Each structure stands twice: as structure tokens, then as C-alpha cells.
Amino acid sequence: MTRTAFFISDGTGITAETLGRSLLAQFEKVEIRMITKPYIDSTDKAQALVEIITATAARDGEQPIIIDTIVDVAIRKVITRAPGFKIDIFSTFLAPLEEELATHSTYTVGRTHSIGRDDVYMNRIDSVHFALDNDDGARTHQYDKADIILVGVSRCGKTPTSLYLALQFGIRAANYPFTEDDLDDDGTLKLPRALAPYRHKLFGLTIDARRLSAIRNERRPNSRYCSLDQCLQEIQQAEALYRQMHIPYIDTTRFSIEEISTRMIAEAGLQRRFSPR
């Protein structure tokens, strides 16, 4: 079964898409083609979209699913003319909240994802800059300012996780890749000198060797770097170091960045500087 879902907003569409994807992910047996339509901020745009939805319904032979966060009443009225199963997020949840809080909503377009408070916005920017400046062990002298330092072998997910922590939670995350320079004379991985003073900030990442080999092969095909034996050896050494130094770690193989980050925050007891957007 294939259905089409439209996520519609007069703002960025992030809220409609995020909630819509979360809901539709529960239906694994249904193949859903997802279409996001942000900035539907005029009745003309709404009418043009209604025509697209109508054509889609005719093509599919099934009514599309319409999930929207339209604030403007006139625009919402146009959207209701489209053939589809409609979920109006704001009207569904705001009306009961208005009754409970005994006040009317401001119904402001884009309020969730606007810049808002300057301190929150600047914190987000500063945290992202910190993650970029301290990527792959680039500036180990700034580790005293880090909230957390991600460690692990090359290409196990440190960089995207660091950036996600910064962007979504304002957490200053550095990351350090284990390399051959960190091996002892007997070939054993030792804790790098730059990390020793910050053991309490370390959090390890590991990954399945076959998955790591496939990822590395896209970067340097047919090299020792991507060979299964090399990947397996590096992962075993990293995990041995985690256990020896009592460094908490997580396997990134089957977890999304969102899951890795939230588990990391919970286990490390990190303080979020703001909520995810």
C-alpha cells in the first residue's frame, strides 16, 4: 500500500514534518511518500496547493494524508477544500490548551522556529562554532571549555553527533579520533595525553566493524583503512580502552543521531542549554 502525506505550514514546516514523520513511522507496512510544503502564507499559494493535492488523490486512487500547522484562518479554510485525511495540529491542541489556561493563543506564524531570545540563539551559534573548531582533535587546548568530548575510531559518527548536540541542545561537544599515533610501542591503544586531564568529560562511540568498513570504503575504496580486519582491530582496541578507563560508550550502528545524542545526555548527565527545535 502506498499513500502520499503532505506536511503543510505557513512557516518553516519543521513542526508539521517532525510530528507527521513521528506519527507515520508507526505504520511500517504502509509505504508513504512524504511531501513538505512550507511557507504556504497566502490564499493563492493555498489554492495552488489544493490543486496539487487533488491531482495527487486522482493519481493515487487514495486520499492523501494532510498534516498542517496553518495559523491563518483564511488559509486554513482554503486547505480544508482539499481531498484528504486532515490533521490540523494547532486547532487540535491549542483549543484545549486555551480552555485550560483560560487565555487565547497568540496564533503567531513561525513562533516555534524563530530566533526568539537573543541569548538562546547566540548560544546555538556559539555551540555549533565550538563543535566545528574542535572537530577531529583540531584544537585540544579548548577542551577545558567542552561540555563533553566524543572519542572513537575514524568515521564512527563523532562529527554529526557533536553538531547535533550543539544545534539541538546548545551542548559544546568536541571530538577526538583515535589514530595510529595513539598506539603504544606494543600496538596497544593508550589514552592520548591531550585527553588525560578530561577523563570525566569523555564519552566513547563504537560501531559494527562491517558497517564501519562500508562507510570507510565510500571515502577510500580498496584501502587498508577500509579493510574489515583493520576496522575490527581498531574497534576492539577502542572498546578495550573504554573498559579499562571506565569511559561510558554507545554503539552507533543501529541508533539514529537523535537517539545517540539523547542517550548520551542522559548517561553523562549533561545540562541542555535549550530544548530541541
Side-chain angles (χ1 to χ4, degrees), residues 85-151:
F85 177 79
K86 302 177 184 68
I87 301 175
D88 182 341
I89 295 174
F90 279 172
S91 66
T92 300
F93 296 107
L94 283 182
L97 276 173
E98 286 177 335
E99 183 176 348
E100 174 63 25
L101 298 175
T103 185
H104 290 292
S105 163
T106 56
Y107 286 88
T108 304
V109 177
R111 187 168 182 83
T112 305
H113 302 283
S114 62
I115 290 179
R117 288 168 46 198
D118 289 342
D119 58 336
V120 172
Y121 181 73
M122 292 310 301
N123 207 318
R124 182 189 304 275
I125 298 301
D126 290 344
S127 298
V128 171
H129 284 166
F130 184 88
L132 292 171
D133 287 344
N134 292 274
D135 185 40
D136 273 349
R139 297 188 181 183
T140 58
H141 65 277
Q142 293 186 348
Y143 284 176
D144 60 318
K145 298 180 178 66
D147 297 317
I148 191 169
I149 304 169
L150 279 56
V151 294

Side-chain angles (χ1 to χ4, degrees), residues 160-201:
T161 304
S162 297
L163 288 170
Y164 186 85
L165 287 168
L167 186 61
Q168 292 294 322
F169 304 105
I171 291 172
R172 291 178 174 83
N175 74 79
Y176 184 100
F178 295 135
T179 67
E180 291 184 349
D181 292 338
D182 300 315
L183 299 179
D184 217 334
D185 293 336
D186 62 358
T188 303
L189 180 64
K190 60 184 178 181
L191 187 67
R193 183 177 299 176
L195 299 178
Y198 307 105
R199 280 179 55 179
H200 62 291
K201 295 184 178 184

